[in-house]
Amino acid sequence: MKDAAPQTIYLKDYTPFGWQVEDVYLTFRLAPNATRVIARIHFAPNPDAPTQDFFLHGNALTLIRASIDGQPVTPELTDAGLTCAVPSGPFLWEAEVEIDPASNTALEGLYMSGGMYCTQCEAEGFRKITYYPDRPDVMATFTVRIESDMPVMLSNGNPRTAGDGFAEWHDPWRKPAYLFALVAGDLRNHPDSFTTRSGTKVDLNIWVRPGDEGKCAFGMQALKASMKWDEDVYGREYDLDVFNIVAVDDFNMGAMENKGLNIFNSSCVLASPETSTDANFERIEAIIAHEYFHNWTGNRITCRDWFQLCLKEGLTVYRDSQFTSDMRGPEVKRISDVIDLRARQFPEDQGPLSHPVRPESFQEINNFYTATVYEKGAEVIGMLKRLVGDEAYAAALDLYFDRHDGDAATIEDWLKVFEDVTGRDLSQFKRWYSQSGTPHLSVTEDWSDGTFTLHFEQHTPPTPGQDEKAPQVLPIAVGLLGPNGNEVQNTTILEMTEGKQSFEFTGLSARPVASILRGFSAPVVLRRESSAEERAFLLAHDSDPFCRWEASEALARACLIAMITEGATPDTAWLDGLARLLRDDTLDPAYRALMLGLPTEADLARSLHEAGVTPDPDAIFDAVETLRLFMAERWADLLPKLAEEARVSAPFDPGAAQAGQRALGNRVLSLQSRIDGGAAAQAQFAAADNMTMQLSALASLNRAGTAEDALKAFHDQWQDDRLVMDKWFGLQIAAAAPAEAVARASALTRHEKFDWKNPNRFRAVFGALIGNHAGFHQADGAGYALLADWLITLDDKNPQTTARMCSAFQTWKRYDAGRQEKMRAALERIAAKPNLSGDTNEMVSRILS
Ligand code: TRP
Ligand code: ZN
C-alpha cells in the first residue's frame, strides 16, 4: 500500500496563485546524471488573489542554492515543494537545482531516450525540472539557454543565439509551465517551410534519430495541410518563426503540444509505406493535426486548472476529427469515431471509473486523460454545434478566440460565448459537463390518421458519486422514409430536454419508417424495439450513411446475441441484405469495409451485460467465429468479386481512396482465409510491398494457425525496426486463438527484444493481450495474473503507463463469479504492492470500489 495518505483535489477549492510570473530565464547544464538547472524568475504580487504563503512545487529536485533579489535564502523544503518568506512587492527569485535525467524512467520531467534529452511536462512534470508554481493559470514568457555538447539543442519559441556548446531560445508568448519543452541530441532534420496567409514564412522541421530521416515526409505533408486547414476553416494562423517536431522512442502518450516544439511518440509521426499501415498513416495525420491545432485551442487559450482539461482536449479532438473528415471523407470518419467511442468511452462511462467530462475531484490528474475527457468531450462540442447551427458555431468560436486569447479559461467561459452569440440559455446543456454516465434513450412510435409520433424517454443509470441524474439536452437527428424507401422527411433535429417527450410528424400519406439518431447526433445508448424487417429496410434505403451502417450493426449484434444466448443460426435475411449492399460498386470501398465489420467481442459482452446476461467470453468468441465462417461460405462467389475491386495496381498512396480499397480487400482476405486454408493470405504475404498488405496477410495466417514461417520471415526482415517489431509482438497475441494468447504473451515477455521499460513495447504485448477478449479472460485467470505481475513490475519505473493499463480491469463486475474473483484478486495484489505509486493506487481503488 501507499504510505502517504492520498490527497484529493477539488474543483470547488480553486484559488488563484498569489503571485504573477513576469518572465522566466532558465539555464540548463546538461549531464546525464547531474544536470544543473538555474532559474531566474520575476515574481510580482497578484492583486486578484487572496493572501497566502509563497509556495513553489518541486519534485525529486536537489536544491543547490536559492536567493531572492540576490540575497541567499534558505527555503523550507516540503514533500511537494518549498515555502519561503518573500518581500511584499515584486522580486527576483533564483534557484539552482540538480536533477538526474538518466535515471528518470517515469518519462515525466527531463529524461533520456536513446541518448537524447527530452522533456514531458504536461500535466505536472515541470516541477521535476525546477521549483515553480506548476499550474496552468500561471503564465509567463520563457528564455532558455542550453549548454551541452549535443549537436542539436531545441526549446520553445524562436532561436536566439547559438554557439559552440550552447543554444538560446526565446518564446515571446506567455505560457503555462506544462507547455515548456527542451530537446538535445544527435538528431537529423527533415526541413520544409510554410507561408502563412498573411505572408510570414515559417521554418518547419521534423527531428529524428539518424536512420529515420526517410520516415518524415508524410508527417511534414500532414503538418502543412493542418496549418492550411486551420487558416481556412477556423481563421487561425501560426505565430512563431519556427515550428519543430521531435520524434522520441520512449513516450507515455501519443504526442505533446509544447509551444513551437511538439514532441511525438515516434510511433505517431514516423511513417513509410513499407513500415506503416494505412491505419498508422491516418492516425499520424490526425495526431499531427491535433497537436498543431492545440496552438490555438490549448496554448493561446489554455485551461485555468486541470479540471478544465476538456476545454482544450475535447475541442482539439473535435477539430482534428473535422480535419480528418475533410481529408478523408465524413461518413467513414464518423462511423469509425462511433466504433471507437463505444469501444473505449462507453465501458469507462458505464463502470467504476465513470467521471464527468469535467471531473470535480482527482488525486492524480494523469489518470484523467481519458476517453471521457477527450472523446466524449468532443461529442459534447458536436452536439453544441448541431443545436446552434454551423454559422452560430463559427461566430461563437471567433468570439472565443477574440475574447480569451492569452487567457487560462474555463468551461463557463466557453459556454458563455455560445450564449452571447445565440441568446440561448445553456444551463441545462451544461449538465453534459457535470453529469457522468451514458444516457439511455428509448423510443416507441405511434401512427394514426396521417400523424406519426415518436415517444422518447431518457434515463441515465447511476454512476459512482451520482445516484440521481437529471434530464440532459439531446439533439436527436431524425429522418422519415416512405414505404418505397424515399425520404418523406429530411433530417431534422428534435431537441429533447425532458425525461419524456413526444414529437409529431403530420400530413403523411402512409406510415413511415423512422431513421433515428442520424450521424449519431448524441452519445447515448439508443434502445429501440425495432423489427428485423424495419432494420433491413433501413439497411437498404436509409440516406444517412451512419444509420445505414448502424442498421447492419444492430442486425449483426442481434444475430450474434441470439447465437450466443439461444444457439440460433446466423440471420440469413440480414446477410443477404448486406450482400446486396456490398455488391453495389457505387459505394465507397472504405464504407463497405466498415459494413463487413462485426461488433467486437468486448462490445458484445457489454450488450449482454446491459441485457442482464452474464457474458461468457468463450461463447462470444465461438459465435463470432461461427458467423465469420458462415459469411465466408455463404459469400464464396461474392468475396472474389470484392477482392478484385479492392485490388490496387497504382503505386502506393496513403490517401483515403487506396486505403479504403485495401481495407475492403483485407476484410475479404480475413474471411477467405477461413475457407481456403490460408492460400490467399500466403500469396498476399509473399507479394506484399507495403505494411498494410503484409501485416493483414500475417494476421490471417496467424489466425489460421499457419503463420510460423511467415512470422519468422517477418521477424528477420524487420528485427532492426523498433516500430515494426512492436507490430510483430502485438500481432501474435492479438490474433492468437484464445487458449494460446496468454501463453504467447508470456513467452514473448522472455524474448530478447521485449524491452518492458519502453512503453510502446510494453503496450504492444499487453495492449494486444487485453484486446484479445477471450484470451485475456481465460477462465483460469492466467491472463489477469500475468498482467498484474507486469503492472506490479512496471509501477516502480513508470507509474503513468501502469495506471493507465489498470483500466483493463474496469469491466470486472460484468463477468461470472469465478472471473470476478480472479480479477479482484489481481487488483488486490496490485493494491498490496509495497510503495505503490499514487497513480496506480488511485486507479485500483476506484476500480475496486
Ligand atoms: N496534451 C497531450 C495531447 O492530448 C496529451 C499528453 C501527452 C499527455 N503527454 C502526456 C498527458 C503526458 C498527460 C501526460 O495531445
Ligand atoms: Zn490534446
Side-chain angles (χ1 to χ4, degrees):
M1 269 300 193
K2 241 205 129 217
D3 353 34
Q7 236 204 316
T8 302
I9 311 193
Y10 296 91
L11 167 61
K12 63 175 166 43
D13 292 343
Y14 172 80
T15 3
F17 184 56
W19 288 262
Q20 292 162 342
V21 178
E22 322 270 80
D23 45 41
V24 177
Y25 287 80
L26 298 173
T27 301
F28 287 82
R29 302 204 171 115
L30 296 177
N33 288 109
T35 288
R36 288 289 170 101
V37 184
I38 300 152
R40 294 183 192 80
I41 304 166
H42 284 104
F43 286 101
N46 177 359
D48 301 327
T51 312
Q52 55 195 272
D53 289 342
F54 182 73
F55 171 77
L56 301 178
H57 295 107
N59 183 351
L61 305 173
T62 305
L63 182 62
I64 306 293
R65 62 180 172 91
S67 68
I68 288 179
D69 292 332
Q71 300 302 310
V73 291
T74 312
E76 188 185 324
L77 302 184
T78 71
D79 259 7
L82 62 74
T83 57
C84 191
V86 297
S88 56
F91 60 91
L92 171 65
W93 163 265
E94 290 189 66
E96 178 166 350
V97 301
E98 189 168 293
I99 53 180
D100 183 357
S103 306
N104 180 355
T105 56
L107 314 183
E108 187 188 51
L110 179 68
Y111 65 96
M112 299 198 74
S113 170
M116 81 196 250
Y117 293 86
C118 64
T119 56
Q120 172 54 43
C121 291
E122 187 176 8
E124 299 180 331
F126 191 73
R127 62 190 64 182
K128 295 172 121 186
I129 292 175
T130 190
Y131 288 100
Y132 197 74
D134 188 7
R135 38 186 292 169
D137 59 344
V138 173
M139 299 168 79
T141 57
F142 282 66
T143 306
V144 176
R145 178 182 167 90
I146 310 169
E147 299 177 4
S148 86
D149 52 10
M150 291 294 183
V152 177
M153 293 179 263
L154 309 170
S155 189
N156 313 92
N158 296 320
R160 251 195 182 164
T161 47
D164 203 15
F166 79 96
E168 285 184 13
W169 291 79
H170 175 70
D171 183 358
W173 298 101
R174 291 169 67 244
K175 67 166 177 289
Y178 81 86
L179 292 172
F180 169 81
L182 175 152
V183 170
D186 178 17
L187 299 172
R188 298 299 131 87
N189 182 15
H190 180 100
D192 206 327
S193 70
F194 178 83
T195 303
T196 66
R197 69 173 179 185
S198 54
T200 309
K201 183 164 173 250
V202 181
D203 289 332
L204 311 177
N205 299 298
I206 298 182
W207 298 92
V208 298
R209 285 183 15 175
D212 287 338
E213 300 90 327
K215 294 183 176 178
C216 300
F218 179 79
M220 185 57 84
Q221 284 314 116
L223 175 59
K224 291 198 285 182
S226 306
M227 295 178 86
K228 176 78 167 64
W229 187 92
D230 215 15
E231 291 185 348
D232 292 348
V233 180
Y234 280 84
R236 299 295 116 200
E237 283 184 36
Y238 189 62
D239 53 8
L240 289 166
D241 304 338
V242 297
F243 187 81
N244 286 312
I245 285 178
V246 181
V248 176
D249 287 340
D250 299 277
F251 204 72
N252 280 334
M253 308 269 283
M256 180 62 211
E257 70 264 23
N258 315 301
K259 183 79 185 191
L261 178 52
N262 288 1
I263 299 183
F264 275 63
N265 185 322
S266 52
S267 72
C268 298
V269 53
L270 300 180
S272 77
E274 297 73 35
T275 58
S276 311
T277 62
D278 290 320
N280 294 149
F281 278 104
E282 179 169 342
R283 185 167 142 80
I284 288 166
E285 181 177 82
I287 296 182
I288 294 215
H290 180 97
E291 305 312 330
Y292 176 72
F293 296 159
H294 266 316
N295 192 52
W296 274 93
T297 53
N299 302 3
R300 293 282 289 254
I301 304 180
T302 191
C303 302
R304 186 192 71 174
D305 53 69
W306 291 119
F307 296 103
Q308 321 295 327
L309 183 59
C310 64
L311 180 73
K312 74 176 177 83
E313 295 303 348
L315 178 54
T316 305
V317 171
Y318 185 68
R319 276 152 49 73
D320 82 54
S321 68
Q322 289 181 300
F323 170 77
T324 298
S325 280
D326 286 353
M327 295 290 138
R328 288 170 182 264
E331 297 85 7
V332 168
K333 174 60 177 165
R334 187 61 188 143
I335 294 167
S336 313
D337 280 352
V338 174
I339 292 171
D340 182 68
L341 194 76
R342 286 178 177 155
R344 299 193 304 114
Q345 201 276 326
F346 277 23
E348 182 170 272
D349 223 358
Q350 296 166 20
L353 298 176
S354 183
H355 56 276
V357 169
R358 181 171 70 176
E360 275 152 31
S361 69
F362 61 75
Q363 289 174 13
E364 177 47 68
I365 185 58
N366 284 328
N367 289 333
F368 287 83
Y369 286 74
T370 59
T372 297
V373 169
Y374 277 64
E375 275 74 30
K376 188 177 179 183
E379 289 297 319
V380 170
I381 292 172
M383 284 191 285
L384 197 50
K385 182 159 179 275
R386 246 176 221 110
L387 288 169
V388 304
D390 294 354
E391 269 175 51
Y393 175 82
L397 267 284
D398 285 344
L399 181 58
Y400 179 65
F401 292 123
D402 255 22
R403 189 184 276 176
H404 293 294
D405 188 10
D407 287 354
T410 61
I411 288 303
E412 283 72 18
D413 295 330
W414 163 253
L415 290 175
K416 184 76 166 54
V417 297
F418 281 85
E419 291 190 325
D420 289 355
V421 160
T422 63
R424 269 174 182 258
D425 174 357
L426 291 174
S427 44
Q428 187 187 1
F429 184 82
K430 197 177 170 190
R431 284 183 191 146
W432 277 108
Y433 288 98
S434 59
Q435 205 162 266
S436 53
T438 315
H440 289 201
L441 178 65
S442 12
V443 54
T444 56
E445 44 191 70
D446 269 338
W447 165 252
S448 72
D449 297 336
T451 297
F452 182 69
T453 310
L454 290 172
H455 306 286
F456 291 100
E457 193 169 339
Q458 58 166 305
H459 165 76
T460 304
T463 54
Q466 288 186 356
D467 293 338
E468 299 296 325
K469 303 286 184 180
Q472 291 181 204
V473 182
L474 303 181
I476 308 172
V478 170
L480 301 179
L481 307 181
N484 61 1
N486 286 345
E487 199 151 84
V488 293
Q489 164 71 58
N490 296 341
T491 305
T492 175
I493 305 285
L494 309 176
E495 201 173 318
M496 181 175 186
T497 55
E498 289 157 38
K500 282 186 184 187
Q501 218 168 327
S502 300
F503 298 87
E504 281 187 353
F505 299 86
T506 54
L508 296 161
S509 55
R511 181 177 183 139
V513 172
S515 162
I516 299 174
L517 213 64
R518 285 186 155 181
F520 201 62
S521 59
V524 299
V525 173
L526 183 64
R527 302 217 146 151
R528 184 177 184 187
E529 291 308 323
S530 174
S531 65
E533 290 70 37
E534 210 163 56
R535 283 176 175 148
F537 183 84
L538 290 170
L539 171 61
H541 301 292
D542 204 326
S543 62
D544 182 76
F546 171 79
C547 279
R548 205 172 176 194
W549 169 83
E550 180 83 314
S552 185
E553 216 273 349
L555 286 163
R557 194 176 293 266
C559 161
L560 284 161
I561 286 177
M563 290 170 72
I564 294 161
T565 57
E566 302 155 24
T569 50
D571 170 0
T572 52
W574 157 57
L575 288 170
D576 294 348
L578 181 54
R580 273 191 291 282
L581 187 144
L582 293 169
R583 279 179 206 281
D584 179 353
D585 58 16
T586 64
L587 287 173
D588 180 4
Y591 184 70
R592 284 184 282 161
L594 285 172
M595 283 286 191
L596 269 175
L598 295 176
T600 65
E601 291 160 49
D603 208 39
L604 288 165
R606 181 175 63 83
S607 286
L608 287 164
H609 173 72
E610 260 169 25
V613 179
T614 302
D616 172 353
D618 299 314
I620 296 174
F621 177 85
D622 290 343
V624 172
E625 285 304 300
T626 304
L627 178 56
R628 288 230 164 90
L629 179 61
F630 190 88
M631 290 164 104
E633 284 167 347
R634 191 169 185 89
W635 292 342
D637 62 327
L638 168 63
L639 296 179
K641 179 187 165 305
L642 292 177
E644 198 44 48
E645 258 188 80
R647 198 177 308 282
V648 176
S649 46
F652 182 90
D653 179 281
Q658 278 193 16
Q661 279 183 287
R662 282 187 288 270
L664 179 60
N666 285 324
R667 293 273 195 188
V668 167
L669 181 74
S670 144
L671 291 176
Q672 278 178 324
S673 65
R674 285 156 214 270
I675 50 173
D676 74 354
Q682 207 64 257
Q684 177 167 320
F685 185 79
D689 64 354
N690 64 74
M691 184 50 66
T692 306
M693 298 301 273
Q694 194 179 17
L695 198 66
S696 297
L698 189 58
S700 283
L701 291 172
N702 198 60
R703 222 176 278 110
T706 56
E708 211 175 311
D709 294 346
L711 276 169
K712 172 142 192 348
F714 190 93
H715 172 276
D716 294 349
Q717 184 182 359
W718 295 117
Q719 53 184 322
D720 296 324
D721 188 301
R722 310 172 301 284
L723 297 174
V724 181
M725 282 306 284
D726 287 336
K727 300 184 198 306
W728 180 83
F729 272 91
L731 177 133
Q732 297 177 63
I733 304 164
E740 283 164 33
V742 177
R744 284 243 191 144
S746 176
L748 284 169
T749 61
R750 292 187 291 274
H751 191 277
E752 55 168 6
K753 284 203 152 67
F754 180 66
D755 172 9
W756 57 273
K757 289 175 198 149
N758 175 263
N760 288 358
R761 191 60 46 92
F762 191 92
R763 279 188 290 253
V765 168
F766 291 103
L769 178 61
I770 295 160
N772 188 322
H773 183 255
F776 178 57
H777 291 284
Q778 189 178 305
D780 66 1
Y784 312 145
L786 183 68
L787 180 62
D789 288 346
W790 279 98
L791 291 177
I792 288 168
T793 302
L794 187 64
D795 186 66
D796 282 327
K797 303 285 177 199
N798 188 334
Q800 249 184 65
T801 292
T802 308
R804 286 187 80 76
M805 294 199 76
C806 288
S807 59
F809 293 111
Q810 70 180 332
T811 54
W812 68 288
K813 287 198 178 153
R814 273 183 200 162
Y815 296 90
D816 54 87
R819 286 184 172 87
Q820 276 196 34
E821 209 29 68
K822 291 175 180 91
M823 277 190 266
R824 182 211 292 280
L827 285 161
E828 283 173 350
R829 207 149 57 77
I830 299 171
K833 182 213 154 210
N835 299 313
L836 188 69
S837 68
D839 300 56
T840 305
N841 181 62
E842 181 185 26
M843 291 296 280
V844 172
S845 342
R846 283 165 69 210
I847 295 170
L848 278 171
S849 72

